C-alpha cells in the first residue's frame, strides 16, 4: 500500500500539486514568522550577542539591556578580584537625542538614539562581533561615532557627516551592519566621547561592567560566586551573557504589547497553516473516494486504505517542506539584504519542519474520517 501511495503521487501528480503547494505555503508562513520573531526580539539583545563578554554586571532587577542604571566603580574591582576573570571593561549607556543641522532644541530632525560608550582597544569585548580593529581606532577621535548602515536614513546622516547628540557635535566616522536594535537607533562612541556627551551630571562608574573568563571556566558558577554578599561594593547583580540576552529578549517578547502582538500573529499563522493543509489533503482524499471504494470492494481493508492516505500525506509533507525550504531561504535572504530584522537557527528551523510535518500527518488522519465513510455502493451512483 505504501508503494501504491507513491505510484499514485507519480501518475496523478497534477491532483496533488495544490496540496503540496498548500503545505509549502504553510511552512513558508511559519518559517518567516519564526524568523521575524527571532530577528525582532533578538535585536533587543544585540548589545550582548554582538559582544564576546562572558559576564555582565548591572543594576539589580534590570529587565533589559536598554533599561540599565548606573552602578559604582567598585564593581569593576570586585570583578577583577575573581581568579577566573581575565579582562573587565566598562559600558556607558546614554539615552540621547540626535539632531542634524543645528544643536538648537528647535531644530528639526530629532531622533531618539542609544549611545554606547565602549573601549577602543583592538581586544575590546563590547561589539567585538560587529567592529573591526580599524573601526574602533576611528572612535578615538573626539566626537567620532559609528552607526548602523540601515539607520542612516532615519538619522538623516551619511558617512562623514556631522550631527548633534544632546547638543554635542559628533561625526559619523564609519557605518557597520548588524548594529540595528529595538526601540531606537544605536550609536557607538568611545568612553571619553560618551562621558563628554553625558555631561558633568552623569553618575560615576558605568551602566554595566563586562568581563571575560579564562578558557574552560564555568560562567554560571562565576556569576553565582560574584553575586553580592553584602553592600560593600554597592548594589549590583551579575548575569552570564546567555542569561542576560535571554532576559532582554523575554522581556520584549512577553512583557510588552509589541511582543504580545507578534506572538498572536504567530499563533494565527499556525492556525491558518493547519486549516489550509487539512483542507487541501481532505480535498485529495475526497477526490479519490471512488478509487478507495473500488479497492474496498476488491478486498482491501480500510486500515490498508488508511495507510495509503497516510503515505500520501507523508510524501506531500516532504515535498511541501522542500518547497518551503527553497522559498523561505530565498525570501529571508532578500529580507536580510534590505535590513529587515530576521534571524534563523537550526533548532528553530527543525521545529518548524517538525510542526509542518505533524500538520500534514494530522491532516491525513482527519482525511481518513471521510475515507471510513467510503462504501462500494458509491460505485453505483
Amino acid at each position: 500500500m505504501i508503494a501504491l501511495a507513491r505510484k499514485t503521487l507519480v501518475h496523478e501528480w497534477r491532483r496533488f500539486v495544490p496540496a503540496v503547494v498548500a503545505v509549502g505555503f504553510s511552512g513558508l508562513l511559519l518559517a518567516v514568522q519564526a524568523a521575524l520573531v527571532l530577528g525582532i526580539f533578538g535585536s533587543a539583545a544585540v548589545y550582548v550577542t554582538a559582544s564576546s563578554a562572558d559576564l555582565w554586571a548591572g543594576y539589580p532587577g534590570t529587565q533589559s539591556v536598554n533599561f540599565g542604571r548606573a552602578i559604582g566603580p567598585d564593581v569593576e574591582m570586585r570583578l577583577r578580584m575573581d581568579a577566573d576573570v581575565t579582562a573587565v571593561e566598562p559600558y556607558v549607556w546614554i539615552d540621547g537625542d540626535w539632531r542634524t543641522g543645528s544643536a538648537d532644541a528647535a531644530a528639526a530632525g530629532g531622533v531618539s538614539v542609544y549611545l554606547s560608550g565602549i573601549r577602543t582597544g583592538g581586544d575590546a569585548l563590547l561589539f567585538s562581533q560587529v567592529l573591526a580593529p580599524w573601526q574602533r581606532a576611528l572612535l578615538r577621535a573626539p566626537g567620532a561615532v559609528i552607526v548602523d548602515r540601515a539607520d542612516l536614513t532615519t538619522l538623516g546622516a551619511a558617512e562623514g557627516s556631522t550631527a548633534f547628540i544632546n547638543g554635542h557635535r559628533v561625526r559619523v566616522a564609519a557605518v557597520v551592519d548588524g548594529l540595528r536594535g529595538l526601540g531606537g537607533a544605536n550609536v557607538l562612541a568611545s568612553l571619553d566621547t560618551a562621558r563628554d556627551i553625558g555631561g558633568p551630571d552623569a553618575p560615576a562608574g558605568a551602566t554595566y561592567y563586562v568581563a571575560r573568563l579564562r578558557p574552560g571556566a564555568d560562567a554560571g558558577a562565576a556569576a553565582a560566586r560574584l553575586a553580592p554578599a553584602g553592600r560593600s561594593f554597592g548594589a549590583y547583580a551579575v548575569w552570564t551573557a546567555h542569561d542576560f540576552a535571554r532576559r532582554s529578549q523575554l522581556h520584549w517578547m512577553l512583557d510588552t504589547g509589541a511582543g504580545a502582538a507578534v506572538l498572536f500573529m504567530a499563533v494565527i499563522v499556525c492556525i491558518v497553516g493547519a486549516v489550509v493543509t487539512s483542507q487541501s489533503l481532505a480535498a485529495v482524499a475526497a477526490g479519490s473516494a471512488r478509487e478507495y471504494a473500488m479497492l474496498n470492494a476488491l478486498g482491501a481493508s480500510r486500515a490498508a486504505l488508511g495507510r495509503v492516505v497516510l503515505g500520501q500525506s507523508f510524501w506531500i509533507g516532504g515535498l511541501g517542506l522542500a518547497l518551503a525550504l527553497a522559498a523561505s531561504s530565498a525570501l529571508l535572504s532578500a529580507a536580510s539584504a534590505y535590513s529587515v530584522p530576521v534571524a534563523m537557527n537550526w533548532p528553530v528551523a527543525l521545529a518548524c519542519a517538525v510542526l509542518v510535518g505533524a500538520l500534514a500527518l494530522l491532516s491525513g488522519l482527519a482525511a481518513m474520517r471521510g475515507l471510513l465513510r467510503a462504501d462500494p455502493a458509491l460505485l453505483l451512483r
Side-chain angles (χ1 to χ4, degrees), residues 51-75:
S51 303
S52 54
D54 298 306
L55 299 178
W56 283 67
Y59 197 83
T62 301
Q63 297 172 300
S64 179
V65 184
N66 58 308
F67 296 146
R69 297 168 58 183
I71 55 177
D74 291 343
V75 177

Side-chain angles (χ1 to χ4, degrees), residues 153-354:
T153 302
T154 302
L155 297 173
E159 189 170 359
S161 66
T162 60
F164 295 86
I165 300 179
N166 295 351
H168 293 262
R169 187 184 184 90
V170 297
R171 183 180 65 86
V172 180
V175 295
V176 296
D177 296 311
L179 192 60
R180 208 170 191 183
L182 185 64
N186 287 316
V187 180
L188 303 186
S190 67
L191 287 167
D192 290 338
T193 297
R195 285 170 173 153
D196 182 52
I197 292 174
D201 295 332
T207 312
Y208 299 100
Y209 286 99
V210 300
R212 178 171 54 207
L213 301 177
R214 63 174 177 79
D218 187 332
R225 187 170 60 248
L226 288 166
R231 306 291 294 183
S232 301
F233 297 92
Y236 74 97
V238 180
W239 306 276
T240 66
H242 177 270
D243 289 344
F244 197 38
R246 183 177 177 82
R247 184 185 185 92
S248 299
Q249 292 166 351
L250 290 180
H251 167 75
W252 284 96
M253 188 179 299
L254 302 178
D255 298 337
T256 64
V262 173
L263 292 178
F264 178 75
M265 287 300 300
V267 173
I268 294 298
V269 165
C270 291
I271 294 174
V272 170
V275 171
V276 171
T277 303
S278 62
Q279 291 301 310
S280 299
L281 291 176
V284 169
S288 305
R290 289 182 176 275
E291 289 83 350
Y292 292 144
M294 180 180 292
L295 289 173
N296 187 221
L298 293 175
S301 66
R302 290 182 176 177
L305 296 178
R307 288 195 294 273
V308 172
V309 175
L310 288 180
Q312 290 176 344
S313 300
F314 174 81
W315 286 105
I316 289 172
L319 293 172
L321 283 175
L323 180 62
L325 175 62
S328 59
S329 297
L331 192 59
L332 294 181
S333 296
S336 297
Y338 285 94
S339 300
V340 177
V342 293
M344 182 57 69
N345 54 50
W346 283 111
V348 174
L350 182 60
C352 290
V354 169

